[in-house]
Amino acid sequence: MTFTELGLSDRVLKAVDEAGYQDPTPIQAQAIPPALRGRDVLGIAQTGTGKTASFVLPMIDRLERGRARARMPRSLILAPTRELAAQVADAFQTYGKQHKLTMALLIGGVSFADQERLLDRGVDVLIATPGRLIDHFERGKLVLTGVEILVIDEADRMLDMGFIPDVERIVGLLPFTRQTLFFSATMPPEITRLTQAFLQNPERVEVARQATTAETVKQHLLYVHKDDKREALRQLIRTHEVNNGIIFCNRKRDVSIVFRSLIKHDFSAAALHGDLDQRVRMQTLDAFRAGEIKLLVASDVAARGLDIPDVSHVFNFDVPFNAEDYVHRIGRTGRAGREGASFTIAINAEKKYVTAIEELIDSKIPVVEIDGLTGEDKKSADSDGKTKRSRSRRRDDRDPPKDDRKGRRRNDRRDQEPDEPVVGMGEHVPAFMSIPLPSRKSKETSEETVG
Ligand code: AMP
């Protein structure tokens, strides 16, 4: 199947050619022809499959004819996050190069006045997050009765984020005669209900989730002690050709700890989590896309839907609680047929999540070892928890002293981990041990956080 066979106009084909795409991806091949004919489409596809172009290209084609009127957008795209909305806007700019379509992006963190000025002039395409759109609507600046095409992108993410009531309210303001293109990576019952309410006799298009993970991403799994996770991460980064990578953490708190740790160890890194100001997030993403930052430490919420081409590696600093998040995470690499690698750093307590992932992807993730950090003894120590207390106080997560980088001392110390008292010192108390504790303690605490 070629792009020409899909029925797109010459101008759209030219833009696709300039974007460097040779053939449509499966979701594009299946979704574009019915969308061009004006049919509703239910697309079940995750990020990385080329789904954005599968709705943007036919939209541009259909919007070629007709003109926008003041405050009455002709099409509306709802996206769950600001970043995703901004990426869809980028896609419009890329694929709409040959057209003079006008566009407004209604997302938080951007001034109302600028957005309203655009709306006043009339836009062909309105891209928005649900909350911001409702804000504008309530200010009386927007009339939605002229919307001919509605796109709902990442509907399951909207559900996770609690946006469904907003989405339902917005859809209630649109004309019944519109065309609806609805995309979701998964189909939980609540989403199925929405598709029944929003879509009329849709063409259902589904692309296998697994195909994008299993075929182009080389997956790895390693088990370490929880205190060794950061060390394991550093070793993985140092020993693999990491052009750029995303490091996923389950918790916001760990995003900042891992980020600070990487900076401390001289890696080029930035953090991305939901609490960061919009401007900072955009700047961070731009720097990452431009290659100025090599490693991005992120939480799932912050990263969902980000379109970052050419990521060479994904590191799961934690095993995601939700097996589908694993698929989303590693889908950041190996995109659109490129090769990628993922490393999941697990502790024994996370084994149950690994099992759930392996069931979902229907294959075993190959287990790899790192000298000195992984191995059966450590694994069993983790699982029985007996050494937990003494290990949690260990300092060996930090780099060894410069003269002992081979890790000999670290391993010796690890051998002494159990709670027995250290023998061999006699009654002698070395001078350094009499240094008052408070200042030293506070220094150690802060180092432990970022080591
Ligand atoms: P998406 O799933 O929409 O986030 O797209 C994932 C990535 O695939 C984006 O970087 C697109 O630029 C790229 N892409 C989309 N369609 C194609 C195509 N037909 N050929 C090659 N790359 C594509």
Side-chain angles (χ1 to χ4, degrees):
M1 175 74 81
T2 64
F3 274 109
T4 327
E5 291 169 280
L6 298 180
L8 292 161
S9 73
D10 289 346
R11 281 199 282 171
V12 175
L13 288 175
K14 188 157 189 271
V16 167
D17 188 46
E18 282 173 11
Y21 304 162
Q22 305 206 316
D23 295 310
T25 63
I27 186 84
Q28 291 161 2
Q30 294 174 65
I32 292 175
L36 281 175
R37 289 197 302 272
R39 284 276 304 271
D40 281 2
V41 172
L42 167 58
I44 305 168
Q46 61 172 122
T47 329
T49 53
K51 71 175 167 62
T52 315
S54 77
F55 59 80
V56 172
L57 296 177
M59 280 178 81
I60 295 175
D61 202 299
R62 284 173 66 77
L63 292 169
E64 265 181 28
R65 298 162 291 276
R67 274 193 58 204
R69 283 188 285 161
R71 285 188 280 158
M72 288 185 77
R74 298 171 64 209
S75 63
L76 170 64
I77 300 175
L78 291 177
T81 62
R82 301 156 173 190
E83 283 82 8
L84 188 61
Q87 277 160 30
V88 174
D90 284 346
F92 255 98
Q93 251 141 19
T94 307
Y95 308 136
K97 258 191 187 157
Q98 309 295 325
H99 297 73
K100 287 203 178 72
L101 297 177
T102 49
M103 181 178 77
L105 182 61
L106 301 191
I107 53 176
V110 180
S111 105
F112 270 94
D114 290 349
Q115 296 174 327
E116 281 171 5
R117 219 167 302 141
L118 282 173
L119 289 175
D120 279 347
R121 273 190 246 146
V123 292
D124 295 298
V125 186
L126 182 59
I127 304 169
T129 49
R132 190 67 165 201
L133 183 79
I134 286 181
D135 287 348
H136 276 275
F137 185 78
E138 286 178 346
R139 286 160 71 108
K141 298 290 177 188
L142 198 55
V143 181
L144 292 172
T145 48
V147 171
E148 299 157 33
I149 307 171
L150 165 70
V151 175
I152 297 181
D153 196 13
E154 304 220 352
D156 51 352
R157 199 62 192 161
M158 303 244 199
L159 177 68
D160 290 349
M161 296 172 83
F163 292 162
I164 296 304
D166 285 351
V167 173
E168 289 187 294
R169 185 173 162 205
I170 293 165
V171 175
L173 301 167
L174 306 176
F176 279 116
T177 49
R178 65 168 196 270
Q179 177 185 22
T180 306
L181 311 173
F182 187 107
F183 288 81
S184 191
T186 56
M187 289 299 288
E190 180 65 3
I191 295 297
T192 305
R193 183 187 70 77
L194 282 189
T195 61
Q196 285 155 0
F198 296 169
L199 297 162
Q200 286 177 27
N201 186 27
E203 177 91 21
R204 186 186 162 106
V205 171
E206 186 163 0
V207 294
R209 186 179 312 125
Q210 267 166 252
T212 51
T213 62
E215 285 170 17
T216 53
V217 183
K218 213 158 176 246
Q219 302 172 60
H220 310 83
L221 172 67
L222 56 149
Y223 283 98
V224 299
H225 185 274
K226 77 176 170 50
D227 292 345
D228 289 332
K229 280 196 169 193
R230 295 194 292 271
E231 172 64 28
L233 175 66
R234 292 195 289 272
Q235 287 204 28
L236 288 171
I237 299 169
R238 285 183 183 129
T239 53
H240 292 83
E241 281 178 25
V242 179
N243 177 37
N244 61 351
I246 306 185
I247 299 150
F248 285 99
C249 301
N250 287 355
R251 294 173 196 81
K252 240 173 359 197
R253 186 179 151 269
D254 289 325
V255 169
S256 36
I257 293 175
V258 172
F259 160 63
R260 283 155 60 207
S261 167
L262 288 171
I263 294 292
K264 187 180 150 196
H265 289 272
D266 293 328
F267 290 97
S268 159
L272 197 73
H273 58 71
D275 283 356
L276 290 173
D277 161 63
Q278 167 71 1
R279 202 176 37 84
V280 176
R281 285 205 273 174
M282 292 295 209
Q283 281 170 356
T284 304
L285 269 179
D286 285 345
F288 186 68
R289 279 199 200 98
E292 291 155 21
I293 293 167
K294 297 286 177 211
L295 300 166
L296 196 60
V297 191
S299 62
D300 291 292
V301 170
R304 185 71 67 110
L306 296 186
D307 175 21
I308 304 158
D310 283 331
V311 175
S312 71
H313 287 72
V314 165
F315 300 94
N316 289 318
F317 188 76
D318 307 292
V319 184
F321 301 134
N322 179 348
E324 286 182 354
D325 279 338
Y326 177 83
V327 180
H328 281 286
R329 287 181 181 188
I330 74 165
R332 307 278 144 203
T333 183
R335 305 182 91 185
R338 297 182 192 105
E339 288 270 303
S342 74
F343 287 88
T344 299
I345 306 171
I347 60 172
N348 262 19
E350 291 176 309
K351 243 181 183 158
K352 54 181 181 288
Y353 304 123
V354 172
T355 309
I357 290 165
E358 292 182 334
E359 270 167 24
L360 178 73
I361 63 173
D362 199 21
S363 62
K364 287 262 170 219
I365 310 171
V367 175
V368 291
E369 304 269 323
I370 297 184
D371 277 356
L373 289 180
T374 51
E376 283 309 313
D377 286 344
K378 286 183 56 54
K379 278 190 231 170
S380 53
D382 282 336
S383 58
D384 66 18
K386 277 186 193 142
T387 58
K388 226 176 188 163
R389 214 176 122 254
S390 58
R391 280 182 185 280
S392 69
R393 298 183 61 80
R394 279 204 342 238
R395 321 293 317 138
D396 60 359
D397 183 47
R398 294 186 238 148
D399 271 355
K402 282 212 160 46
D403 59 344
D404 189 12
R405 292 230 164 220
K406 297 259 153 57
R408 178 179 55 80
R409 185 207 279 211
R410 296 150 45 70
N411 289 337
D412 291 347
R413 258 205 267 169
R414 185 167 294 135
D415 294 338
Q416 294 173 3
E417 279 313 320
D419 274 332
E420 290 94 50
V422 178
V423 287
M425 260 193 204
E427 292 300 304
H428 173 69
V429 179
F432 74 87
M433 289 185 78
S434 329
I435 295 170
L437 272 177
S439 60
R440 189 165 162 260
K441 205 173 177 187
S442 63
K443 182 167 177 276
E444 279 197 55
T445 313
S446 70
E447 279 182 7
E448 183 166 67
T449 324
V450 298

PDB file of all heavy atoms in Angstrom, residues 3 20-25 28 46-53 87 95 305-309 335-336 338, ligand 1:
ATOM      1  N   PHE A   3       1.024   5.747  -0.171  1.00  0.00           N
ATOM      2  CA  PHE A   3       0.212   6.905   0.214  1.00  0.00           C
ATOM      3  C   PHE A   3      -0.702   7.330  -0.938  1.00  0.00           C
ATOM      4  O   PHE A   3      -1.834   7.742  -0.722  1.00  0.00           O
ATOM      5  CB  PHE A   3       1.112   8.068   0.643  1.00  0.00           C
ATOM      6  CG  PHE A   3       1.501   8.019   2.095  1.00  0.00           C
ATOM      7  CD1 PHE A   3       2.793   7.708   2.492  1.00  0.00           C
ATOM      8  CD2 PHE A   3       0.562   8.275   3.087  1.00  0.00           C
ATOM      9  CE1 PHE A   3       3.137   7.650   3.837  1.00  0.00           C
ATOM     10  CE2 PHE A   3       0.895   8.233   4.438  1.00  0.00           C
ATOM     11  CZ  PHE A   3       2.189   7.913   4.808  1.00  0.00           C
ATOM     12  N   GLY A  20       9.259  12.843   4.578  1.00  0.00           N
ATOM     13  CA  GLY A  20      10.183  11.715   4.421  1.00  0.00           C
ATOM     14  C   GLY A  20       9.542  10.349   4.613  1.00  0.00           C
ATOM     15  O   GLY A  20      10.243   9.347   4.735  1.00  0.00           O
ATOM     16  N   TYR A  21       8.228  10.285   4.652  1.00  0.00           N
ATOM     17  CA  TYR A  21       7.583   8.983   4.833  1.00  0.00           C
ATOM     18  C   TYR A  21       7.477   8.284   3.488  1.00  0.00           C
ATOM     19  O   TYR A  21       7.095   8.889   2.494  1.00  0.00           O
ATOM     20  CB  TYR A  21       6.161   9.133   5.398  1.00  0.00           C
ATOM     21  CG  TYR A  21       6.069   9.896   6.700  1.00  0.00           C
ATOM     22  CD1 TYR A  21       4.854  10.424   7.122  1.00  0.00           C
ATOM     23  CD2 TYR A  21       7.187  10.070   7.504  1.00  0.00           C
ATOM     24  CE1 TYR A  21       4.758  11.119   8.314  1.00  0.00           C
ATOM     25  CE2 TYR A  21       7.099  10.770   8.692  1.00  0.00           C
ATOM     26  CZ  TYR A  21       5.888  11.300   9.086  1.00  0.00           C
ATOM     27  OH  TYR A  21       5.796  11.987  10.259  1.00  0.00           O
ATOM     28  N   GLN A  22       7.769   6.988   3.505  1.00  0.00           N
ATOM     29  CA  GLN A  22       7.685   6.248   2.248  1.00  0.00           C
ATOM     30  C   GLN A  22       6.336   5.552   2.111  1.00  0.00           C
ATOM     31  O   GLN A  22       5.670   5.692   1.101  1.00  0.00           O
ATOM     32  CB  GLN A  22       8.818   5.241   2.204  1.00  0.00           C
ATOM     33  CG  GLN A  22      10.146   5.972   2.411  1.00  0.00           C
ATOM     34  CD  GLN A  22      11.294   5.273   1.804  1.00  0.00           C
ATOM     35  OE1 GLN A  22      11.414   4.073   1.928  1.00  0.00           O
ATOM     36  NE2 GLN A  22      12.148   6.038   1.148  1.00  0.00           N
ATOM     37  N   ASP A  23       5.974   4.798   3.130  1.00  0.00           N
ATOM     38  CA  ASP A  23       4.714   4.060   3.053  1.00  0.00           C
ATOM     39  C   ASP A  23       3.866   4.362   4.288  1.00  0.00           C
ATOM     40  O   ASP A  23       4.397   4.644   5.353  1.00  0.00           O
ATOM     41  CB  ASP A  23       4.990   2.549   3.017  1.00  0.00           C
ATOM     42  CG  ASP A  23       5.734   2.186   1.755  1.00  0.00           C
ATOM     43  OD1 ASP A  23       5.280   2.589   0.678  1.00  0.00           O
ATOM     44  OD2 ASP A  23       6.792   1.534   1.855  1.00  0.00           O
ATOM     45  N   PRO A  24       2.564   4.246   4.129  1.00  0.00           N
ATOM     46  CA  PRO A  24       1.716   4.456   5.313  1.00  0.00           C
ATOM     47  C   PRO A  24       1.917   3.341   6.334  1.00  0.00           C
ATOM     48  O   PRO A  24       2.200   2.203   5.955  1.00  0.00           O
ATOM     49  CB  PRO A  24       0.299   4.429   4.744  1.00  0.00           C
ATOM     50  CG  PRO A  24       0.386   3.893   3.363  1.00  0.00           C
ATOM     51  CD  PRO A  24       1.796   3.989   2.906  1.00  0.00           C
ATOM     52  N   THR A  25       1.774   3.678   7.589  1.00  0.00           N
ATOM     53  CA  THR A  25       1.822   2.642   8.634  1.00  0.00           C
ATOM     54  C   THR A  25       0.468   1.917   8.604  1.00  0.00           C
ATOM     55  O   THR A  25      -0.495   2.428   8.006  1.00  0.00           O
ATOM     56  CB  THR A  25       2.035   3.282  10.020  1.00  0.00           C
ATOM     57  OG1 THR A  25       0.918   4.113  10.306  1.00  0.00           O
ATOM     58  CG2 THR A  25       3.318   4.107  10.080  1.00  0.00           C
ATOM     59  N   GLN A  28      -2.524   4.037   9.426  1.00  0.00           N
ATOM     60  CA  GLN A  28      -2.791   5.031   8.374  1.00  0.00           C
ATOM     61  C   GLN A  28      -3.468   4.370   7.173  1.00  0.00           C
ATOM     62  O   GLN A  28      -4.442   4.900   6.626  1.00  0.00           O
ATOM     63  CB  GLN A  28      -1.480   5.709   7.945  1.00  0.00           C
ATOM     64  CG  GLN A  28      -0.912   6.608   9.034  1.00  0.00           C
ATOM     65  CD  GLN A  28       0.567   6.942   8.865  1.00  0.00           C
ATOM     66  OE1 GLN A  28       1.201   6.535   7.886  1.00  0.00           O
ATOM     67  NE2 GLN A  28       1.115   7.658   9.818  1.00  0.00           N
ATOM     68  N   GLN A  46      -1.847   2.750  19.740  1.00  0.00           N
ATOM     69  CA  GLN A  46      -1.099   3.524  20.727  1.00  0.00           C
ATOM     70  C   GLN A  46      -0.152   4.498  20.022  1.00  0.00           C
ATOM     71  O   GLN A  46       0.030   4.432  18.803  1.00  0.00           O
ATOM     72  CB  GLN A  46      -0.316   2.582  21.627  1.00  0.00           C
ATOM     73  CG  GLN A  46       0.690   1.765  20.853  1.00  0.00           C
ATOM     74  CD  GLN A  46       1.585   0.975  21.770  1.00  0.00           C
ATOM     75  OE1 GLN A  46       1.653  -0.242  21.687  1.00  0.00           O
ATOM     76  NE2 GLN A  46       2.285   1.667  22.617  1.00  0.00           N
ATOM     77  N   THR A  47       0.463   5.353  20.827  1.00  0.00           N
ATOM     78  CA  THR A  47       1.448   6.278  20.278  1.00  0.00           C
ATOM     79  C   THR A  47       2.585   5.482  19.662  1.00  0.00           C
ATOM     80  O   THR A  47       2.951   4.431  20.174  1.00  0.00           O
ATOM     81  CB  THR A  47       2.058   7.139  21.407  1.00  0.00           C
ATOM     82  OG1 THR A  47       1.083   7.314  22.401  1.00  0.00           O
ATOM     83  CG2 THR A  47       2.538   8.445  20.910  1.00  0.00           C
ATOM     84  N   GLY A  48       3.137   6.004  18.586  1.00  0.00           N
ATOM     85  CA  GLY A  48       4.252   5.309  17.951  1.00  0.00           C
ATOM     86  C   GLY A  48       3.820   4.528  16.724  1.00  0.00           C
ATOM     87  O   GLY A  48       4.644   4.035  15.968  1.00  0.00           O
ATOM     88  N   THR A  49       2.515   4.429  16.523  1.00  0.00           N
ATOM     89  CA  THR A  49       2.015   3.668  15.371  1.00  0.00           C
ATOM     90  C   THR A  49       1.782   4.572  14.160  1.00  0.00           C
ATOM     91  O   THR A  49       1.424   4.087  13.094  1.00  0.00           O
ATOM     92  CB  THR A  49       0.673   2.987  15.726  1.00  0.00           C
ATOM     93  OG1 THR A  49      -0.219   3.999  16.227  1.00  0.00           O
ATOM     94  CG2 THR A  49       0.844   1.912  16.775  1.00  0.00           C
ATOM     95  N   GLY A  50       1.950   5.869  14.345  1.00  0.00           N
ATOM     96  CA  GLY A  50       1.661   6.805  13.260  1.00  0.00           C
ATOM     97  C   GLY A  50       0.205   7.246  13.293  1.00  0.00           C
ATOM     98  O   GLY A  50      -0.336   7.748  12.310  1.00  0.00           O
ATOM     99  N   LYS A  51      -0.440   7.113  14.446  1.00  0.00           N
ATOM    100  CA  LYS A  51      -1.878   7.409  14.531  1.00  0.00           C
ATOM    101  C   LYS A  51      -2.184   8.894  14.293  1.00  0.00           C
ATOM    102  O   LYS A  51      -3.232   9.223  13.766  1.00  0.00           O
ATOM    103  CB  LYS A  51      -2.452   6.937  15.874  1.00  0.00           C
ATOM    104  CG  LYS A  51      -2.007   7.758  17.059  1.00  0.00           C
ATOM    105  CD  LYS A  51      -2.696   7.313  18.318  1.00  0.00           C
ATOM    106  CE  LYS A  51      -2.044   7.890  19.550  1.00  0.00           C
ATOM    107  NZ  LYS A  51      -2.053   9.353  19.669  1.00  0.00           N
ATOM    108  N   THR A  52      -1.269   9.781  14.692  1.00  0.00           N
ATOM    109  CA  THR A  52      -1.562  11.213  14.522  1.00  0.00           C
ATOM    110  C   THR A  52      -1.800  11.547  13.049  1.00  0.00           C
ATOM    111  O   THR A  52      -2.781  12.192  12.698  1.00  0.00           O
ATOM    112  CB  THR A  52      -0.402  12.070  15.082  1.00  0.00           C
ATOM    113  OG1 THR A  52      -0.022  11.533  16.344  1.00  0.00           O
ATOM    114  CG2 THR A  52      -0.796  13.518  15.238  1.00  0.00           C
ATOM    115  N   ALA A  53      -0.898  11.062  12.193  1.00  0.00           N
ATOM    116  CA  ALA A  53      -1.075  11.335  10.757  1.00  0.00           C
ATOM    117  C   ALA A  53      -2.337  10.665  10.240  1.00  0.00           C
ATOM    118  O   ALA A  53      -2.951  11.156   9.284  1.00  0.00           O
ATOM    119  CB  ALA A  53       0.145  10.846   9.979  1.00  0.00           C
ATOM    120  N   GLN A  87       1.938  18.546  20.244  1.00  0.00           N
ATOM    121  CA  GLN A  87       2.493  17.677  19.192  1.00  0.00           C
ATOM    122  C   GLN A  87       1.557  17.534  18.008  1.00  0.00           C
ATOM    123  O   GLN A  87       1.994  17.473  16.864  1.00  0.00           O
ATOM    124  CB  GLN A  87       2.767  16.290  19.764  1.00  0.00           C
ATOM    125  CG  GLN A  87       4.094  16.246  20.475  1.00  0.00           C
ATOM    126  CD  GLN A  87       4.163  15.088  21.427  1.00  0.00           C
ATOM    127  OE1 GLN A  87       3.525  14.053  21.197  1.00  0.00           O
ATOM    128  NE2 GLN A  87       4.914  15.226  22.479  1.00  0.00           N
ATOM    129  N   TYR A  95       2.284  18.513   8.160  1.00  0.00           N
ATOM    130  CA  TYR A  95       1.499  17.927   7.068  1.00  0.00           C
ATOM    131  C   TYR A  95       0.673  18.972   6.325  1.00  0.00           C
ATOM    132  O   TYR A  95       0.193  18.719   5.225  1.00  0.00           O
ATOM    133  CB  TYR A  95       0.567  16.827   7.601  1.00  0.00           C
ATOM    134  CG  TYR A  95       1.251  15.768   8.449  1.00  0.00           C
ATOM    135  CD1 TYR A  95       0.688  15.318   9.631  1.00  0.00           C
ATOM    136  CD2 TYR A  95       2.467  15.200   8.050  1.00  0.00           C
ATOM    137  CE1 TYR A  95       1.306  14.344  10.415  1.00  0.00           C
ATOM    138  CE2 TYR A  95       3.097  14.232   8.823  1.00  0.00           C
ATOM    139  CZ  TYR A  95       2.516  13.812  10.002  1.00  0.00           C
ATOM    140  OH  TYR A  95       3.126  12.858  10.760  1.00  0.00           O
ATOM    141  N   GLY A 305       1.975  10.057  25.493  1.00  0.00           N
ATOM    142  CA  GLY A 305       1.622  10.782  24.287  1.00  0.00           C
ATOM    143  C   GLY A 305       2.747  11.639  23.707  1.00  0.00           C
ATOM    144  O   GLY A 305       2.569  12.266  22.683  1.00  0.00           O
ATOM    145  N   LEU A 306       3.895  11.670  24.360  1.00  0.00           N
ATOM    146  CA  LEU A 306       4.957  12.501  23.805  1.00  0.00           C
ATOM    147  C   LEU A 306       5.498  11.878  22.529  1.00  0.00           C
ATOM    148  O   LEU A 306       5.731  10.692  22.470  1.00  0.00           O
ATOM    149  CB  LEU A 306       6.128  12.603  24.794  1.00  0.00           C
ATOM    150  CG  LEU A 306       5.843  13.279  26.109  1.00  0.00           C
ATOM    151  CD1 LEU A 306       7.122  13.423  26.896  1.00  0.00           C
ATOM    152  CD2 LEU A 306       5.243  14.645  25.855  1.00  0.00           C
ATOM    153  N   ASP A 307       5.681  12.702  21.554  1.00  0.00           N
ATOM    154  CA  ASP A 307       6.236  12.197  20.311  1.00  0.00           C
ATOM    155  C   ASP A 307       7.704  12.601  20.235  1.00  0.00           C
ATOM    156  O   ASP A 307       8.042  13.711  19.886  1.00  0.00           O
ATOM    157  CB  ASP A 307       5.468  12.783  19.123  1.00  0.00           C
ATOM    158  CG  ASP A 307       6.111  12.359  17.820  1.00  0.00           C
ATOM    159  OD1 ASP A 307       6.842  11.354  17.826  1.00  0.00           O
ATOM    160  OD2 ASP A 307       5.886  13.047  16.810  1.00  0.00           O
ATOM    161  N   ILE A 308       8.548  11.686  20.612  1.00  0.00           N
ATOM    162  CA  ILE A 308       9.977  11.985  20.595  1.00  0.00           C
ATOM    163  C   ILE A 308      10.636  10.972  19.671  1.00  0.00           C
ATOM    164  O   ILE A 308      10.880   9.844  20.060  1.00  0.00           O
ATOM    165  CB  ILE A 308      10.573  11.887  22.011  1.00  0.00           C
ATOM    166  CG1 ILE A 308       9.810  12.817  22.945  1.00  0.00           C
ATOM    167  CG2 ILE A 308      12.047  12.234  22.011  1.00  0.00           C
ATOM    168  CD1 ILE A 308       9.938  12.453  24.377  1.00  0.00           C
ATOM    169  N   PRO A 309      10.855  11.344  18.434  1.00  0.00           N
ATOM    170  CA  PRO A 309      11.404  10.366  17.510  1.00  0.00           C
ATOM    171  C   PRO A 309      12.833   9.983  17.869  1.00  0.00           C
ATOM    172  O   PRO A 309      13.523  10.746  18.577  1.00  0.00           O
ATOM    173  CB  PRO A 309      11.359  11.068  16.153  1.00  0.00           C
ATOM    174  CG  PRO A 309      10.996  12.465  16.402  1.00  0.00           C
ATOM    175  CD  PRO A 309      10.656  12.650  17.839  1.00  0.00           C
ATOM    176  N   ARG A 335      10.409   3.144  17.376  1.00  0.00           N
ATOM    177  CA  ARG A 335       9.188   3.665  16.751  1.00  0.00           C
ATOM    178  C   ARG A 335       9.303   3.640  15.240  1.00  0.00           C
ATOM    179  O   ARG A 335      10.377   3.767  14.694  1.00  0.00           O
ATOM    180  CB  ARG A 335       8.940   5.092  17.215  1.00  0.00           C
ATOM    181  CG  ARG A 335       8.899   5.161  18.694  1.00  0.00           C
ATOM    182  CD  ARG A 335       8.600   6.538  19.143  1.00  0.00           C
ATOM    183  NE  ARG A 335       7.172   6.677  19.292  1.00  0.00           N
ATOM    184  CZ  ARG A 335       6.583   7.823  19.585  1.00  0.00           C
ATOM    185  NH1 ARG A 335       7.278   8.896  19.714  1.00  0.00           N
ATOM    186  NH2 ARG A 335       5.298   7.870  19.751  1.00  0.00           N
ATOM    187  N   ALA A 336       8.148   3.536  14.634  1.00  0.00           N
ATOM    188  CA  ALA A 336       8.027   3.533  13.173  1.00  0.00           C
ATOM    189  C   ALA A 336       9.131   2.686  12.542  1.00  0.00           C
ATOM    190  O   ALA A 336       9.815   3.096  11.612  1.00  0.00           O
ATOM    191  CB  ALA A 336       8.035   4.968  12.627  1.00  0.00           C
ATOM    192  N   ARG A 338      12.043   1.697  13.673  1.00  0.00           N
ATOM    193  CA  ARG A 338      13.460   1.845  14.030  1.00  0.00           C
ATOM    194  C   ARG A 338      13.828   0.879  15.146  1.00  0.00           C
ATOM    195  O   ARG A 338      12.984   0.440  15.894  1.00  0.00           O
ATOM    196  CB  ARG A 338      13.742   3.269  14.504  1.00  0.00           C
ATOM    197  CG  ARG A 338      13.496   4.290  13.456  1.00  0.00           C
ATOM    198  CD  ARG A 338      13.846   5.667  14.001  1.00  0.00           C
ATOM    199  NE  ARG A 338      13.358   6.691  13.113  1.00  0.00           N
ATOM    200  CZ  ARG A 338      12.291   7.437  13.355  1.00  0.00           C
ATOM    201  NH1 ARG A 338      11.620   7.298  14.466  1.00  0.00           N
ATOM    202  NH2 ARG A 338      11.910   8.344  12.486  1.00  0.00           N
TER     203      ARG A 338
HETATM  204  P1  AMP B   1       2.477   8.827  16.343  1.00  0.00           P
HETATM  205  O1  AMP B   1       2.046   7.410  16.586  1.00  0.00           O
HETATM  206  O2  AMP B   1       1.466   9.598  15.616  1.00  0.00           O
HETATM  207  O3  AMP B   1       2.907   9.480  17.614  1.00  0.00           O
HETATM  208  O4  AMP B   1       3.748   8.802  15.357  1.00  0.00           O
HETATM  209  C1  AMP B   1       4.961   8.223  15.722  1.00  0.00           C
HETATM  210  C2  AMP B   1       6.106   8.676  14.841  1.00  0.00           C
HETATM  211  O5  AMP B   1       6.048   8.049  13.564  1.00  0.00           O
HETATM  212  C3  AMP B   1       6.171  10.172  14.578  1.00  0.00           C
HETATM  213  O6  AMP B   1       7.509  10.579  14.833  1.00  0.00           O
HETATM  214  C4  AMP B   1       5.868  10.335  13.120  1.00  0.00           C
HETATM  215  O7  AMP B   1       6.582  11.398  12.554  1.00  0.00           O
HETATM  216  C5  AMP B   1       6.316   9.008  12.537  1.00  0.00           C
HETATM  217  N1  AMP B   1       5.530   8.572  11.387  1.00  0.00           N
HETATM  218  C6  AMP B   1       4.197   8.716  11.206  1.00  0.00           C
HETATM  219  N2  AMP B   1       3.826   8.155  10.047  1.00  0.00           N
HETATM  220  C7  AMP B   1       4.925   7.659   9.473  1.00  0.00           C
HETATM  221  C8  AMP B   1       5.176   6.961   8.241  1.00  0.00           C
HETATM  222  N3  AMP B   1       4.196   6.652   7.404  1.00  0.00           N
HETATM  223  N4  AMP B   1       6.438   6.588   7.989  1.00  0.00           N
HETATM  224  C9  AMP B   1       7.426   6.876   8.854  1.00  0.00           C
HETATM  225  N5  AMP B   1       7.270   7.533  10.016  1.00  0.00           N
HETATM  226  C10 AMP B   1       6.027   7.909  10.333  1.00  0.00           C
END
